[in-house]
Amino acid sequence: MKPNLPKTFAELNLIEPLKIALSETGYTKPTPIQAEAIPLLLEGRDLLGCAQTGTGKTAAFALPILHRLVLADQKTTPRHARVLVLTPTRELAIQVHQSFEIYGKNLKLKYAVIFGGVGQSPQVKALSQGVDVLVATPGRLLDLIEQGFVKLSQLEVFVLDEADRMLDMGFVHDINKILKLLPKKRHNLFFSATMPPVIEKLAQSILVNPVRIEVTPVSSTAELIAQNVMFVDRENKRPLLKYILEDKKLSRVIVFSRTKHGANKIVEFLAKFEIIAEAIHGNKSQSARQKALENFKAGKIRVLIATDIAARGIDIDDITHVINYDLPNESESYVHRIGRTARAGASGIAISFCDADEKPFLKDIEKLIGKSIPVIESHPFHSQKVVDARLISSSRAKAIIDGENTLRGGRSSNNRRFPRNNSRPKQTSPKK
Ligand code: AMP
């Protein structure tokens, strides 16, 4: 942490009801982003935060926002919101809303959350008298605005959370539409895990003379995460996963699958061996996703199979292992994925399965994180064929893998496989 930054919550001088709520959370000291951002946000500065989930960024913005709302002492009017937090996913919206409820539990403020995929009536009802803090996903927000159930003309604070993921998910037009509805004078906060030029440009169009805070840049993976890779032929990935999960020490595991279909298949396969897992992905209903998450949080199931988008923003402590069943073809997703473990100072383990076609992705990831990931060979499915595989470009690898996924869906007859090198696959014997 930089010198002269507050080292305790007491030094932040937050109003008493917030201090009391904080004391009940069990947090002992501010995280680096909290120590840096809270004093500046209390002054009303616009903020550009380069931080990912897991850094404590929600409290970093929720606490000063709540503090200022109370001091400003404005009344909310029907259908209006004083603060808008836009998030890319429903899960993140729910979590951010919960955080406001926790930190703001001793305040007489109203918090609401709206997202798609569920009926709008309870959301409309929650908004009818106006709210202080509205957490929303862009699509449902615009829907309700168009129907006249929400108005943003009295907004005091605008927070754009996970801006990079918003753009990845195609929300750029929705964001621009929402921006046009906001009053010119407002307090702006902008968070993104990565800052490619397109995000910088969006930030510039929203923020006025912002302070910039960067914590754990995306290219650095947490020191506390032990990262490993296992070379395995594609057809052996499922047995390898079963083999790993048989060890009960893996008590809370997220397995990442590239596709929704793949996630379901993994659940079915593990069920045959009485390893109970649940999948969360975009084809599951909102209630099924919530239920799976709750079961996982409560420890009723120890394995959650997730796709990248569904897992985004999931806030679950004590995840012991992250398993990349498929390696992501965007290196930054790797950093997001493994960031699910080793939260708030705990340690965690990330294991990545890599088949021959995925080797280019592994190379890209190692380039991004600036180190090579140790290979574990001591498992029964270690593949020399993967070790020897000739490296092709990652875009070519992606095309091949996408083609194969299409095939599995039965939509293509082009069954050309990645031309592997000529060495015959060696049968590796189980090692201890
Ligand atoms: P976030 O980055 O906002 O998703 O927060 C990640 C996790 O850190 C959540 O589980 C928070 O409850 C937790 N957290 C936030 N602030 C602190 C803190 N100062 N000390 C310990 N844990 C914290």
Side-chain angles (χ1 to χ4, degrees):
M1 204 183 285
K2 291 176 190 160
N4 303 326
L5 287 176
K7 294 190 177 55
T8 63
F9 282 117
E11 285 173 68
L12 292 171
N13 292 325
L14 292 164
I15 52 171
E16 205 53 33
L18 292 175
K19 283 190 194 158
I20 296 170
L22 266 175
S23 68
E24 289 167 14
T25 59
Y27 306 163
T28 50
K29 56 177 185 358
T31 65
I33 191 168
Q34 290 163 2
E36 272 199 73
I38 292 175
L40 295 161
L41 290 174
L42 286 173
E43 285 172 19
R45 291 290 304 269
D46 275 11
L47 174 79
L48 177 58
C50 188
Q52 31 183 313
T53 312
T55 52
K57 74 178 158 71
T58 316
F61 66 78
L63 291 166
I65 285 177
L66 289 167
H67 177 107
R68 284 170 57 90
L69 280 182
V70 171
L71 295 191
D73 196 26
Q74 300 279 335
K75 288 278 165 292
T76 149
T77 49
R79 301 187 174 187
H80 282 273
R82 298 177 65 195
V83 177
L84 171 65
V85 183
L86 269 190
T87 74
T89 64
R90 305 180 258 204
E91 284 78 10
L92 186 60
I94 291 169
Q95 275 166 26
V96 170
H97 175 247
Q98 274 171 357
S99 299
F100 272 98
E101 286 191 318
I102 292 169
Y103 306 131
K105 62 190 268 204
N106 304 316
L107 306 171
K108 289 195 189 71
L109 298 175
K110 281 191 268 180
Y111 318 106
V113 58
I114 61 174
F115 46 81
V118 293
Q120 70 172 43
S121 306
Q123 300 178 356
V124 169
K125 192 155 170 266
L127 291 164
S128 62
Q129 293 310 308
V131 292
D132 294 282
V133 179
L134 174 61
V135 185
T137 53
R140 175 58 58 94
L141 176 66
L142 281 169
D143 247 15
L144 296 188
I145 289 174
E146 273 154 28
Q147 297 173 66
F149 293 123
V150 192
K151 298 187 191 332
L152 299 176
S153 56
Q154 293 175 6
L155 200 82
E156 294 164 46
V157 187
F158 174 61
V159 184
L160 188 64
D161 201 5
E162 303 208 341
D164 50 354
R165 188 57 48 158
M166 288 271 192
L167 263 50
D168 283 354
M169 290 172 72
F171 285 134
V172 66
H173 297 300
D174 287 355
I175 293 171
N176 285 330
K177 271 194 213 165
I178 292 165
L179 285 171
K180 289 203 179 91
L181 302 171
L182 306 183
K184 290 235 158 11
K185 191 174 169 312
R186 51 173 206 260
H187 187 191
N188 297 294
L189 286 65
F190 185 107
F191 292 91
S192 189
T194 57
M195 287 288 168
V198 58
I199 298 286
E200 294 270 5
K201 211 168 141 217
L202 180 65
Q204 272 169 24
S205 73
I206 296 174
L207 302 166
V208 182
N209 186 24
V211 279
R212 188 185 177 116
I213 294 180
E214 278 183 50
V215 292
T216 48
V218 74
S219 56
S220 81
T221 44
E223 293 297 311
L224 293 165
I225 307 174
Q227 301 171 59
N228 294 296
V229 61
M230 292 182 172
F231 287 146
V232 55
D233 294 329
R234 178 161 301 176
E235 58 276 19
N236 281 336
K237 281 190 174 184
R238 283 187 210 166
L240 175 59
L241 182 64
K242 168 188 164 267
Y243 170 81
I244 292 174
L245 291 176
E246 275 166 352
D247 182 350
K248 294 279 184 337
K249 279 206 290 295
L250 282 77
S251 57
R252 205 171 269 206
V253 189
I254 292 196
V255 178
F256 281 95
S257 157
R258 190 196 311 276
T259 64
K260 303 168 198 170
H261 177 69
N264 291 340
K265 286 276 174 215
I266 297 171
V267 172
E268 284 166 25
F269 175 79
L270 293 176
K272 289 188 205 150
F273 303 95
E274 292 179 359
I275 299 173
I276 308 302
E278 287 191 41
I280 55 163
H281 53 64
N283 285 359
K284 296 256 173 184
S285 71
Q286 176 63 11
S287 60
R289 284 157 75 170
Q290 271 306 112
K291 190 151 178 289
L293 271 182
E294 275 158 27
N295 285 340
F296 187 63
K297 277 188 182 181
K300 289 186 192 154
I301 50 164
R302 65 182 180 105
V303 186
L304 195 66
I305 320 285
T307 55
D308 283 305
I309 287 183
R312 184 73 187 178
I314 290 179
D315 175 15
I316 302 170
D317 291 333
D318 306 328
I319 289 173
T320 57
H321 293 72
V322 169
I323 299 180
N324 290 312
Y325 184 89
D326 300 306
L327 271 185
N329 50 44
E330 283 171 24
S331 313
E332 282 165 358
S333 296
Y334 174 84
V335 180
H336 288 304
R337 286 179 178 191
I338 72 164
R340 308 286 100 202
T341 185
R343 306 287 291 264
S347 58
I349 294 174
I351 302 169
S352 300
F353 294 179
C354 176
D355 70 21
D357 294 346
E358 291 171 317
K359 269 187 96 178
F361 305 149
L362 178 63
K363 195 169 158 242
D364 288 350
I365 289 164
E366 290 180 331
K367 206 165 133 203
L368 177 76
I369 65 173
K371 57 185 175 196
S372 60
I373 305 173
V375 180
I376 296 184
E377 295 186 2
S378 55
H379 61 86
F381 304 98
H382 175 67
S383 167
Q384 190 59 35
K385 193 164 76 176
V386 180
V387 177
D388 297 339
R390 189 158 54 91
L391 216 53
I392 50 164
S393 74
S394 46
S395 57
R396 173 92 188 100
K398 180 168 167 5
I400 290 162
I401 288 171
D402 286 351
E404 286 180 354
N405 285 336
T406 311
L407 258 179
R408 286 192 203 109
R411 274 176 280 131
S412 164
S413 59
N414 176 7
N415 193 13
R416 204 154 65 84
R417 293 276 304 173
F418 164 48
R420 294 171 199 268
N421 73 350
N422 294 331
S423 67
R424 275 187 47 203
K426 263 194 252 162
Q427 189 67 45
T428 340
S429 55
K431 291 183 189 162
K432 279 169 262 114

